Structures are given as C-alpha cells and as structure tokens.
Amino acid sequence: MRASRWLVGAVCAVTLVTVQAAEPKSDVWPAVASSVKKDPRLEARIAELLHKMTLQQKVGQMIQADIRSVTPEDVRQYRLGSILNGGGAFPANEKHSKVSDWVALADRFYDASMDTAGGAPAIPIMWGTDAVHGHNNVIGATLFPHNVGLGAAHDPELIRRVGEATAREVAATGIDWTFAPTVAVVQDPRWGRSYESYSERPDIVKAYAGKMVQGLQGIGGSPMFLDGNHIIATAKHYIGDGGTSQGIDRGNNEASEQELFAIHGQGYVTAIEAGVQTVMASYNSWQGVKMHGQRHLLTEVLKNRMGFDGIVVSDWDGVDEVQGCSKDRCAQAINAGLDMIMVPDQWKPFLQNTIEQVQAGDIPMARIDDAVTRILRVKLRAGLFEKGRPSSRPLANKVAELGAPQHRAVAREAVRKSVVLLKNDKCLLPLSAKANVLVAGDGANDIGKQSGGWSISWQGTGNTNADYPGATSIYEGIKTAVTAAGGKATLSPDGSFQVKPDAAVVVFGENPYAEWHGDLKSLQYRGPDGDAPAADINRPAPEVSPQFAEPNYETSPLAPPTAPVADLALLKRLHDKGIPVVTVFLTGRVRGVTPEIEASNAFAVAWLPGTEGGGIADVLFRKSTGAVNFPFSGKLSYAWPRGGAGDVPLFPYGYGLGGCNQH
Ligand code: BGC
Ligand code: BGC
C-alpha cells in the first residue's frame, strides 16, 4: 500500500518537474548569476546522502521549530533540520543567558542531530535567529541602528561592515544563521515594520542588500565565504512585504508583476548575486493570493528564473495564512516551493501530516527531494558538516566579541551618519561642548526606547538600561562629550531645571513595537489619530500562542502609547523660557510632526539608533576647540510627510541639512 502510494507520488513528481520547467508567465524577472556556484563534488555528496534518507528523515530536515517548543531529544528522535529562537526566546527562557549558555544549548542540539545511534545519518542542525540590527536577542550585543537609519546614511560600504560585525557576534554564540537583511521597500510608512526597511526607493535597498549579505556571509566564491567568522544570511520577506495596501502588516500587495520586480524585487537581485543562501517567504498576499502559496513567484520566478539554489524558508506559522491550510498542515506551501517550514510549536503534527501527504501523493516525492537537496546544499556550503560542535568553532564562546569596541565603533559611526537634520535655525547646531545643556524628554536616557522593536524581546519592551550592559544612552553620550570639554549636562526628563541652561536637547518619539503592533491609521504623531492603532483598518491580529506571548501584548494589538501631547508641551515650555531647543526625534519611520518642528529651534531625526547613543552627541556638539566634530550627513531615504495621507511632503526624499557645519 505504502509503496504504491509512493509510486503515485513519483509519477506526479515527473509531471510537476515538467510544469516547473515552464518559463515564467512574465519576462520581467532577470536571470541572476550568483557568486556562489554549484560545486559538482558537493552535489554528488548531497545525492549520496539523500539516497540514504528515509521519508521521515527527509521531512524532518524540512522542519524548523522554536527552542521554546523543542528539545534536543526531539531533534534526536525526529531528525529535525533546524531550530530558531524567535524574538524573545532565550536558552531556558532566561533573558540574561550568557554567551556560554547559548553555545552550550547549540552544542546540545548539534550533538542530537549528529547522533547516529538510531541508524539515521548525521546531519548537523542549523540554528537561525533574528539578528536584524546586530545580535539583538543577546544581552551585551552591539545594537546597530535599525534599517531605516542605515538607509539615511547612504553608505553601502558601511552596511558591509555592520554585517561583518553582526556575523562575529552571532558566531560567538554558536548560532549559524540570521533572518536578515530585510529588503522591503516600504510604500506606506504606516506599516509597523517600516523601520526594518532601508528606504521607500528601490535603489538604496538594491545597493545595500548585496553588501549586507557579503558582510554576513563573507564574499561569495572567496575562501572567507561562510568561514568561522561568518553566518548564513536571509533576504526577506519575499516578496512585496513593503507594498501592502494601507501599510497593513500581512496585507495584500496589489502591484503589477512589473512593479513587483521594479520596486520590491531589487534587493533580491543583489542578494542573490552576493550569494545569499536563504530567502524567507512573506506573510503578505500578492494580488489576493498569500505568498506562502505562490508557486509562480516562489518556484518559477525565484528558483527557476532568478536561479536561486538555496533554501526558501517560511515565516513564523506563515503556512497558516495560506487558504485551506492550518498551522499543522500545508501541502500547498511545500508544493508552491517552500523548502523549510518554520512551524514554531506545531512542528510535530506538521511533520506527521506532511509525511502522510507525501504518502498520499499530495506532495510529490521529487518536491521533497528538491527541498532536502537545497537544505543539505546550504549546510554543506556553510561547512556545518566540517565545523564540528558549535563550541569548537573559532569564535565560539569569545565573550569579548559581544559588544566588542570595534563593533561599537562601527555602530556609532552608523548612528552619526544616519541622523537627518530637518531644521537648524540660526545655525544653532552644532552646539558648543562647553555649554550648560539640559537633556530632557522621555527618550533621553532610555536605551530600550532608542533601540526600538527586536531588541532583547520581540517587541523591544520590558527591558531597562541594565539589560543593555556596555550601551550608551543619548544623555550619557552628551554628558561624556560636554564634560570632556568643560561643559555641563543635566538629565531632566520633564524639563525642569534650577539654573537656566544655555540650550535644551529634548529626546522623544515612538515607543518600541514590532510587526502589526506598530501598524498605524495615520502618520500624524499628535492629533486625533496620533498614535491611534490601526486596529480598525486591520484584520484581526494574528493569534500568538501563549508560550510565545510577551507581557502586555497577549490581548492588545496596540503599540504602547507615546506621550505626544506632553512632548509638544515640553518643547513649548522650554521655548517660552527663551531656551534654544534642539529636538532629537526617535522614530521607526517618518511621522507628521509639524507642530513639534515649529516649537524647536533645531530638529534632528535620530531614527532608532540602538546601543551607541554616543553617535548623537558626535553630531550635536562641536569639539572642545570649537571646530565641527562630525558633520551632519544623513539624508532622508523617505519623503517626510506633513501628516495626512497623500500630502505633498514637508521635506522631500533626499533632504537633510548639513550647511552650518562648514562654519
Ligand atoms: C517575522 C520574521 C521573523 C520570524 C522569526 C516572524 O514573525 O515576520 O521577520 O524572522 O518571525 O522570528
Ligand atoms: C516570536 C516572534 C514572532 C512572533 C510572530 C513571537 O512570539 O517570538 O519571533 O515573529 O511571535 O507571531
């Protein structure tokens, strides 16, 4: 019975292969030459290994489970191919896990995957993490500015260095793979993931994607490629995540196929050229069909036309979004071209159901073989079969890599290059470092707020400055700069003071959020819709399983409220007392802040700078000699709105002052 079902599967497979070979419907997509070529010896090794595997073992390779729901024993028994730590997942659920705890857990999973006692071949497990702005799940890591800030820096070479530093920190914890870079090109910044996108224009994303991949993985085709200092990268979320109607997370992208390529596809071109080894499918739909079920785009375009020969991984429970699927079964997604399935907690039924679907002929065996071939290819290219236990790898347990001074220096450089100066009346900036400065606002001394979402926890909330050892708040950075020059900095979040300061730096803006929690109805920062959640334009928030829920988010789809009314009042209060006011605006996206700009003498957008707050003082203050320290060089990678949708921008794309620095 079983054998005959397999036969049916094999026959279907032949048919499928013929269909797959058909040219894409549209010729808008180019063939892309990856710098990582197929290696015949490696392909032979894959074929040999595949030949030894049972169906159960093959499907096991295709499963990726979250460390909160899977044990090394499960990996040993079910031969799972991959694990991840989703945002806010730590070894033993301990946020303060040390580098050695991460490595020890990586060893346990690795050992389980290499255990051949049950007769299964040894295939090293591959661990993925969201190191999306540095190794952001790990205490002590360097957190770089979120992508929106990097986009304003307009510096592709810097992006490569950010990738290199990130790779080293991830490698130090024994982890193999990051789900980055995001190459979304945001068309509506009300989207809660806008800060994960470099720009609203494809050119910057295109210039950055390949560089980030090179930084993370090493140069494709060179000896450094995926050596001990590098990790596997992911281009995500394929495709069209930044172009959903009204910026609704997981919504529908209505672009034509030509636009899909010209706007949303550009990052994939350079990422594939650079040899990116994994691509993550997106939650959104294209023209009404969920990407996780889009055979044309996943298989015909990405794999057959663009020549991507690595792993297409699904997003977190992304299969659940496909029509007719649930979290524990989705033949459609596998048939559409997904190779590895991120099924964080429903992995066991998913595994079983998939085996049965293959046996029933619903999934062709050839599709399974192709998926496993791709998984083994990436594992072999990454040297996982040769690198040995995670703890034996060159950077493993090198605690000093986490937050290393040279990584922090790269992050600080990125911070100062990302600041965009929108207003600078009477050349107020840069300030004298000899001044008496009041540092106010609820963002002045809050590293969580300046880091945004995907910072230690998924939403970036629930942490204190003590959770960021080695980090520098914006206030601390200012204090260091002015104290060294003989000036004085006083922290006063509410702006009260005893002695009238020479100037006030007021730091405020968005509080952390991630994914749909940050969707907005309006970009207006303050006003009737200011910070209004997008709940009423959104479909119901995706269900989060209890073991993955973070405090304050189980029931509410809302980003935590900011204090826009108080922020404006604070600016006015200081301004009314005749104090020159410099606003430093923390935000994951462009917002309508016209009244706040009017109430400030100078207005600088800092985006979400991460742990190196010292980069802000670098541009705000002169040297003790009075000379310019670092000029403002950031330029908007998004047009800055007045507030309402469809407005003529207040500041155009590419805007950013720098002039007064020349004095
Ligand atoms: C996000 C991905 C992320 C994954 C794993 C998903 O919800 O969309 O960007 O890589 O979770 O944490
Ligand atoms: C996980 C995230 C994931 C999200 C999506 C969270 O609990 O930690 O990584 O993206 O759930 O639902």
Side-chain angles (χ1 to χ4, degrees):
M1 176 61 189
R2 188 162 278 203
S4 69
R5 274 187 174 174
W6 280 33
L7 203 63
V8 174
V11 173
C12 288
V14 173
T15 332
L16 186 92
V17 169
T18 334
V19 177
Q20 274 182 348
E23 274 298 290
K25 283 182 223 105
S26 160
D27 57 7
V28 300
W29 307 90
V32 181
S34 169
S35 52
V36 180
K37 308 290 176 212
K38 277 219 181 74
D39 171 351
R41 275 173 318 176
L42 197 135
E43 296 299 316
R45 221 173 132 187
I46 296 170
E48 201 183 311
L49 199 53
L50 190 69
H51 189 70
K52 292 190 198 137
M53 294 169 74
T54 63
L55 173 61
Q56 154 105 39
Q57 291 159 6
K58 288 176 181 175
V59 178
Q61 278 302 303
M62 295 171 66
I63 299 285
Q64 182 181 58
D66 183 276
I67 59 168
R68 287 165 285 192
S69 307
V70 71
T71 63
E73 189 42 44
D74 290 329
V75 167
R76 191 185 322 270
Q77 192 180 339
Y78 296 96
R79 314 311 292 174
L80 305 184
S82 181
I83 51 166
L84 86 150
N85 60 304
F90 318 101
N93 263 323
E94 174 47 69
K95 172 161 103 173
H96 290 101
S97 286
K98 296 195 287 291
V99 170
S100 57
D101 299 322
W102 289 90
V103 177
L105 186 60
D107 270 355
R108 290 180 57 213
F109 278 111
Y110 173 86
D111 290 346
S113 70
M114 299 303 277
D115 185 342
T116 54
I123 300 175
I125 196 149
M126 183 168 151
W127 181 341
T129 190
D130 290 286
V132 299
H133 65 139
H135 197 7
N136 45 252
N137 291 281
V138 177
I139 298 282
T142 308
L143 299 198
F144 296 86
H146 268 298
N147 289 349
V148 64
L150 296 180
H154 293 263
D155 186 343
E157 191 46 32
L158 169 67
I159 301 314
R160 197 186 51 74
R161 289 187 283 131
V162 169
E164 263 177 358
T166 303
R168 294 183 69 93
E169 299 203 9
V170 173
T173 56
I175 295 175
D176 312 295
W177 175 19
T178 177
F179 306 126
T182 294
V183 299
V185 181
V186 173
Q187 302 300 289
D188 188 330
R190 289 177 295 175
W191 186 34
R193 305 192 76 158
S194 295
Y195 63 83
E196 297 184 57
S197 160
Y198 299 120
S199 178
E200 68 181 10
R201 292 209 185 165
D203 45 352
I204 300 180
V205 177
K206 185 175 187 183
Y208 277 15
K211 290 288 184 186
M212 184 53 103
V213 170
Q214 287 182 335
L216 291 165
Q217 298 191 345
I219 306 290
S222 82
M224 70 162 90
F225 181 70
L226 289 175
D227 66 5
N229 298 334
H230 294 94
I231 57 168
I232 300 159
T234 308
K236 75 183 186 184
H237 308 80
Y238 184 83
I239 188 174
D241 49 352
T244 60
S245 313
Q246 298 172 279
I248 296 173
D249 192 40
R250 307 187 179 196
N252 185 30
N253 188 318
E254 285 161 18
S256 67
E257 192 158 2
Q258 170 64 45
E259 288 164 342
L260 201 60
F261 169 63
I263 300 172
H264 304 284
Q266 296 304 305
Y268 296 95
V269 172
T270 54
I272 294 172
E273 278 170 355
V276 73
Q277 290 298 299
T278 76
V279 168
M280 187 184 289
S282 188
Y283 283 128
N284 64 273
S285 305
W286 177 53
Q287 297 186 352
V289 178
K290 281 288 173 180
M291 275 308 305
H292 279 65
Q294 273 279 3
R295 207 186 116 72
H296 170 63
L297 292 171
L298 292 172
T299 297
E300 288 164 22
V301 170
L302 178 63
K303 293 180 174 177
N304 296 350
R305 177 81 181 182
M306 296 175 87
F308 174 68
D309 67 3
I311 300 169
V312 180
V313 63
S314 69
D315 203 343
W316 179 281
D317 278 333
V319 290
D320 194 29
E321 306 264 322
V322 179
Q323 223 189 354
C325 286
S326 52
K327 288 184 183 184
D328 62 4
R329 63 162 62 229
C330 194
Q332 293 94 311
I334 295 174
N335 287 337
L338 287 179
D339 304 310
M340 184 177 277
I341 318 297
M342 193 190 287
V343 267
D345 61 335
Q346 295 298 307
W347 60 268
K348 207 183 281 183
F350 191 92
L351 175 72
Q352 194 49 42
N353 289 333
T354 304
I355 293 170
E356 285 169 16
Q357 287 162 330
V358 178
Q359 289 168 339
D362 297 336
I363 303 173
M365 194 61 199
R367 179 68 270 277
I368 299 292
D369 284 346
D370 173 54
V372 179
T373 296
R374 290 166 175 273
I375 292 165
L376 296 176
R377 184 181 290 137
V378 172
K379 289 184 172 183
L380 280 160
R381 280 177 176 164
L384 297 185
F385 285 82
E386 284 78 33
K387 277 178 178 162
R389 300 181 87 205
S391 60
S392 72
R393 301 176 192 171
L395 291 180
N397 276 319
K398 297 268 185 298
V399 178
E401 291 291 335
L402 273 287
Q406 59 274 31
H407 302 169
R408 292 192 188 277
V410 174
R412 182 167 176 163
E413 176 186 343
V415 172
R416 63 177 172 254
K417 287 182 170 171
S418 69
V419 180
V420 177
L421 187 59
L422 294 183
K423 178 179 183 180
N424 193 17
D425 271 2
K426 301 194 180 125
C427 289
L428 176 60
L429 294 176
L431 296 166
S432 162
K434 295 193 162 74
N436 175 12
V437 189
L438 188 74
V439 188
D442 68 3
N445 194 34
D446 186 337
I447 293 161
K449 181 157 176 151
Q450 76 192 38
S451 297
W454 297 104
S455 298
I456 306 181
S457 54
W458 172 41
Q459 293 293 325
T461 52
N463 307 306
T464 67
N465 284 2
D467 293 323
Y468 294 95
T472 306
S473 72
I474 292 172
Y475 158 68
E476 288 164 337
I478 293 175
K479 188 177 170 203
T480 303
V482 299
T483 311
K488 188 167 181 263
T490 309
L491 177 66
S492 170
D494 69 359
S496 56
F497 55 84
Q498 254 118 52
V499 180
K500 188 176 166 191
D502 300 323
V505 175
V506 187
V507 189
F508 63 89
E510 292 189 339
N511 284 329
Y513 53 81
E515 303 192 42
W516 66 93
H517 293 288
D519 283 4
L520 288 173
K521 197 167 142 191
S522 156
L523 286 179
Q524 202 67 254
Y525 181 63
R526 192 190 54 92
D529 290 333
D531 235 40
D536 53 341
I537 56 160
N538 220 334
R539 36 108 203 87
E543 176 204 332
V544 177
S545 313
Q547 77 269 36
F548 302 132
E550 288 186 349
N552 307 326
Y553 287 96
E554 294 104 293
T555 52
S556 159
L558 319 185
T562 50
V565 175
D567 296 331
L568 182 60
L570 171 57
L571 296 177
K572 285 187 170 158
R573 217 157 55 231
L574 293 165
H575 194 81
D576 288 351
K577 289 182 177 140
I579 300 165
V581 175
V582 177
T583 285
V584 173
F585 189 49
L586 294 172
T587 185
R589 54 191 150 194
V590 295
R591 297 291 301 256
V593 282
T594 309
E596 289 77 8
I597 294 174
E598 276 164 7
S600 312
N601 300 87
F603 194 99
V605 184
W607 312 107
L608 297 171
T611 52
E612 304 320 301
I616 304 296
D618 285 346
V619 287
L620 290 188
F621 291 90
R622 292 172 185 272
K623 291 184 176 163
S624 55
T625 59
V628 168
N629 190 11
F630 289 97
F632 284 94
S633 60
K635 306 275 180 232
L636 292 176
S637 63
Y638 289 81
W640 194 276
R642 283 166 210 273
D647 281 349
V648 177
L650 186 61
F651 299 105
Y653 175 94
Y655 188 83
L657 297 170
C660 294
N661 294 311
Q662 312 316 325
H663 300 177

